[in-house]
Structures are given as C-alpha cells and as structure tokens.
C-alpha cells in the first residue's frame, strides 16, 4: 500500500509528525490518571476519598510518563508494560486488588510505550 504514488506524501507526513517524549509522556500520564480517577469514582470501591483519587491519578500519571520515556532493550510496548507492572505492584499489594490494579497498569504502560514508538522523536 505504501508503494502507491498517491499515498506517499500522506505516509511521509504521518511519519514526520514527531513529538517530544516528555510532552507525550505528560499527555499520556494525564490521560491515564483521569481515566483511573474516573474508574475509582464510578467503581465499586467504598472508599472514594480525595487521597484515594490522588493516589490513583498520580500512580497512573507516573506510568504514562515513565513508560513513554524509558529505554530498555526490548519492544517499547513490552518495556512500557514492565514499567506499568513495577509502578502498580505496591498499590496492588497495599490494596489487595491485584487483577484490577495490575491489569490497568500493564495496559496503560503498554499503550504509553506503543505511543512513544509511534509518535515520539
């Protein structure tokens, strides 16, 4: 599909729109933090205090920021998932909610790593 002459300028333009990793990590972190905060607000967790919301937001912010900026010798989505697992592990152990916290950490980390591979310079 990339060999079609009419699509070459479009493919080049899509590949040339790079973003700074720090900006991309900050945007991913804010997005993941807001999503996780909304999951806490609308979830079944009985304790919906300000501390719980801030903990959820900043934990996911750290995952988005670090996963987009880490450089390991593996695929960026795998390294992002590893960052998500490591950052989420203390929260999962403290709250005894392993599947939900570790699962979202893995998914958010992999998404941030993939986004860094696709759009970061």
């Amino acid at each position: 599909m990339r060999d079609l002459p009419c699509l070459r300028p479009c493919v080049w333009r899509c590949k040339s729109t790079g973003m700074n990793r720090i900006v991309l990590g900050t945007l991913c972190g804010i997005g993941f933090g807001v999503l996780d905060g909304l999951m806490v607000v609308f979830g079944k967790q009985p304790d919906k205090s300000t501390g719980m919301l801030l903990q959820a937001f900043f934990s996911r912010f750290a995952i988005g920021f670090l996963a987009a900026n880490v450089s390991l010798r593996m695929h960026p989505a795998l390294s992002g998932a590893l960052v998500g697992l490591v950052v989420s592990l203390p929260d999962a152990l403290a709250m005894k909610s392993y599947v939900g916290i570790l699962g979202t950490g893995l998914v958010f980390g992999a998404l941030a790593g993939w986004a860094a591979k696709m759009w970061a310079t």
Side-chain angles (χ1 to χ4, degrees):
M1 195 172 207
R2 290 184 180 175
D3 295 326
L4 296 174
C6 63
L7 292 180
R8 281 188 196 142
C10 178
V11 170
W12 178 80
R13 256 184 263 133
C14 292
K15 291 286 184 182
S16 69
T17 57
M19 184 182 288
N20 185 347
R21 283 185 178 270
I22 294 176
V23 173
L24 181 65
T26 302
L27 292 174
C28 285
I30 290 170
F32 297 155
V34 167
L35 279 174
D36 203 52
L38 289 173
M39 282 191 257
V40 169
V41 168
F42 295 113
K44 293 184 263 182
Q45 185 71 19
D47 180 26
K48 295 177 179 155
S49 65
T50 305
M52 167 101 36
L53 289 172
L54 287 174
Q55 180 272 331
F57 177 82
F58 283 111
S59 174
R60 297 314 181 221
F61 179 83
I63 289 173
F65 185 79
L66 293 173
N69 288 296
V70 72
S71 178
L72 299 175
R73 293 184 182 214
M74 59 180 74
H75 192 275
L78 288 176
S79 67
L82 181 63
V83 167
L85 178 71
V86 169
V87 172
S88 297
L89 195 57
D91 296 333
L93 292 172
M95 297 182 64
K96 295 181 178 28
S97 176
Y98 304 104
V99 175
I101 294 174
L102 294 177
T104 57
L106 285 169
V107 169
F108 288 161
L111 286 174
W114 176 79
K117 180 184 184 302
M118 294 302 292
W119 297 303
T121 56

